[in-house]
Amino acid sequence: MKIGVLALQGGVIEHIHHIEALGHEGIGIKNIDQLKDIQGIILPGGESTTIGKLLRETNMLQPLREKILSGFPVWGTCAGMILLARDIEDSTNKHLQVMDIKVKRNAYGSQIDSFKTSEIIHEVSCDPIPLVFIRAPFITDTFNNVEVLHKIHGNVVAARQNNMLATSFHPELTDNLEFHKYFLNMCSHT
Ligand code: GLN
């Protein structure tokens, strides 16, 4: 399969390496035309305000939004999760607004704004997965058929709604491939 990684800003290459490690092709996506021949797309971590602005400037926001709404597999990690959210706490600056989640940016505050842990996420793997959080958001509310995949200290940090996956953390910054495997499985079933 060919899997895209939105390459306007943020941590692109690490996702591409994980896709390649699983025997598939990872392509950095910078324009609308490149959306045509991929089977799924990852929206990476970075700065959501900047990526959202660049999505508008490159005229990719609407076509990508429509593609996702028609069932195209998408996975947002960290800033990518903020891009997917229908609602962002204390902000009027929304982006793709495709996933029925409300998120809080920089939700862990300045004391523990970056941390690592390791947890079992049953839907994804029966072994513990290392989780890296960097100035991470979490999900404060879910609507409709959003399925919570994992919570830490009562806060939702991974969720799925049909063709959409969102994680607060960065599996691409560890050498664990389980989350990428899970997403590639979503891509192969559409
Ligand atoms: N805090 C960033 C934002 O709000 C997200 C951080 C990340 O992607 N590591 O966009």
Side-chain angles (χ1 to χ4, degrees):
M1 286 187 291
K2 283 188 187 177
I3 304 295
V5 182
L6 187 69
L8 300 175
Q9 190 264 340
V12 177
I13 195 71
E14 295 85 355
H15 276 298
I16 291 182
H17 287 157
H18 273 40
I19 295 164
E20 287 171 351
L22 290 166
H24 297 274
E25 196 178 336
I27 305 167
I29 302 294
K30 293 185 183 238
N31 59 55
I32 307 176
D33 290 344
Q34 291 177 299
L35 288 176
K36 280 184 206 137
D37 56 27
I38 51 174
Q39 270 134 295
I41 190 164
I42 297 176
L43 312 179
E47 179 55 47
S48 55
T49 313
T50 306
I51 303 176
K53 184 168 168 270
L54 293 169
L55 272 174
R56 285 179 188 86
E57 282 176 17
T58 52
N59 296 318
M60 287 173 83
L61 191 87
Q62 274 313 318
L64 181 57
R65 179 167 200 277
E66 280 157 29
K67 215 169 151 71
I68 295 169
L69 288 175
S70 73
F72 186 60
V74 63
W75 173 19
T77 55
C78 204
M81 172 165 113
I82 299 166
L83 295 172
L84 292 175
R86 161 171 132 185
D87 218 346
I88 304 171
E89 298 236 349
D90 306 318
S91 172
T92 49
N93 190 15
K94 296 164 199 158
H95 307 286
L96 291 161
Q97 289 183 267
V98 284
M99 189 166 176
D100 291 325
I101 54 174
K102 185 171 187 179
V103 300
K104 183 172 162 68
R105 293 181 66 196
N106 303 319
Y108 291 93
S110 56
Q111 296 289 314
I112 52 157
D113 65 357
S114 299
F115 63 99
K116 275 188 202 170
T117 180
S118 193
E119 306 244 335
I120 293 180
I121 303 181
H122 291 287
E123 174 85 6
V124 176
S125 170
C126 44
D127 295 316
I129 299 180
L131 306 176
V132 176
F133 292 78
I134 303 169
R135 301 203 314 113
F138 57 62
I139 296 172
T140 56
D141 222 337
T142 60
F143 311 91
N144 299 323
N145 63 338
V146 171
E147 186 191 345
V148 171
L149 299 183
H150 200 64
K151 286 185 184 181
I152 291 186
H153 308 311
N155 301 312
V156 179
V157 294
R160 175 164 175 187
Q161 183 178 27
N162 308 321
N163 55 314
M164 298 175 274
L165 175 66
T167 57
S168 297
F169 45 84
H170 293 266
E172 77 285 7
L173 298 182
T174 73
D175 52 19
N176 186 288
L177 297 171
E178 294 302 318
F179 248 97
H180 287 76
K181 228 183 258 177
Y182 179 80
F183 179 62
L184 290 174
N185 194 37
M186 280 170 63
C187 298
S188 68
H189 284 92
T190 41

